[in-house]
Amino acid sequence: MSRIGRQPVPIPEAVKVRIGAAAIEVEGPKGRLETPIPAGIGCEEVDGALVFTLRDDTRQQRSFHGLARALAANAVRGVSQGFVKELDIVGVGFRAEAKGQSVVFSLGYSHPIEYPIPDGVEVRIDRQTHLSVSGADRQQVGQVAAVIRSLRKPDPYKNKGVRYTGEVLKKKAGKTAGAGA
């Protein structure tokens, strides 16, 4: 049995959970999410917590056991607290600004980059160089943050670009002028 799969998922007061045959529907103050239950995994609500059980003890079912529990825990946390990813924009003249349902980035290219914000995700620009991506769906928040980061990945020589807040980068040494001449 999976160590993660054995742990119960506590359900907060404001969250409602409906268990179906193939999915769990979780509804809370931040929204509504649906999480699939893999075949061979059982789910039930016991004493205000979700408990996942194995029907077969095969290698694949053991791995799905932990996966199903982790997905359900992320859904419960997402609809109650939400998830946040923060990004910093580093570079002279690099900035972001909100325009309706999209964000316009100036990242040193010859043109501005317009990124449409998907439904269920909120992008807040605190300063022109700091963004907060938030939402109920952990996968979607992480994907939007990764796409924004990929617009201009941090340069290893000058460390300019879009990076996660707190991300540690290794700076490479550049060429030295006149070395070996």
Side-chain angles (χ1 to χ4, degrees):
M1 251 173 115
S2 166
R3 289 185 198 174
I4 300 292
R6 278 186 287 194
Q7 298 174 358
V9 179
I11 302 170
E13 292 290 324
V15 176
K16 294 178 186 147
V17 177
R18 270 184 259 122
I19 302 169
I24 301 171
E25 198 173 298
V26 185
E27 194 169 348
K30 298 264 184 190
R32 184 184 151 288
L33 292 174
E34 193 171 307
T35 302
I37 301 174
I41 304 296
C43 179
E44 57 187 357
E45 190 173 342
V46 178
D47 297 330
L50 288 175
V51 177
F52 291 87
T53 56
L54 278 170
R55 294 198 184 119
D56 308 342
D57 195 30
T58 63
R59 184 182 178 108
Q60 187 176 27
Q61 291 304 307
R62 287 193 304 265
S63 63
F64 283 158
H65 188 214
L67 172 73
R69 189 257 178 219
L71 290 175
N74 286 338
V76 168
R77 180 173 170 220
V79 297
S80 59
Q81 301 170 8
F83 292 97
V84 177
K85 288 268 191 180
E86 294 189 355
L87 297 141
D88 289 325
I89 302 172
V90 179
V92 177
F94 289 15
R95 67 177 136 275
E97 62 180 286
K99 276 195 180 168
Q101 282 298 104
S102 63
V103 180
V104 178
F105 294 95
S106 297
L107 298 174
Y109 296 118
S110 62
H111 58 285
I113 300 168
E114 189 169 334
Y115 179 74
I117 302 169
D119 293 336
V121 175
E122 179 187 336
V123 177
R124 198 174 76 239
I125 301 170
D126 301 331
R127 302 181 295 271
Q128 289 182 335
T129 59
H130 185 79
L131 298 130
S132 294
V133 180
S134 60
D137 189 357
R138 183 177 190 173
Q139 191 274 333
Q140 192 176 23
V141 169
Q143 184 66 38
V144 169
V147 169
I148 290 173
R149 183 182 183 272
S150 73
L151 296 176
R152 184 76 177 228
K153 288 184 182 171
D155 175 35
Y157 297 102
K158 295 183 179 180
N159 284 349
K160 296 187 329 183
V162 181
R163 66 174 83 157
Y164 296 114
T165 300
E167 181 179 5
V168 178
L169 302 170
K170 274 190 169 181
K171 189 171 182 180
K172 290 184 176 181
K175 289 184 188 178
T176 54

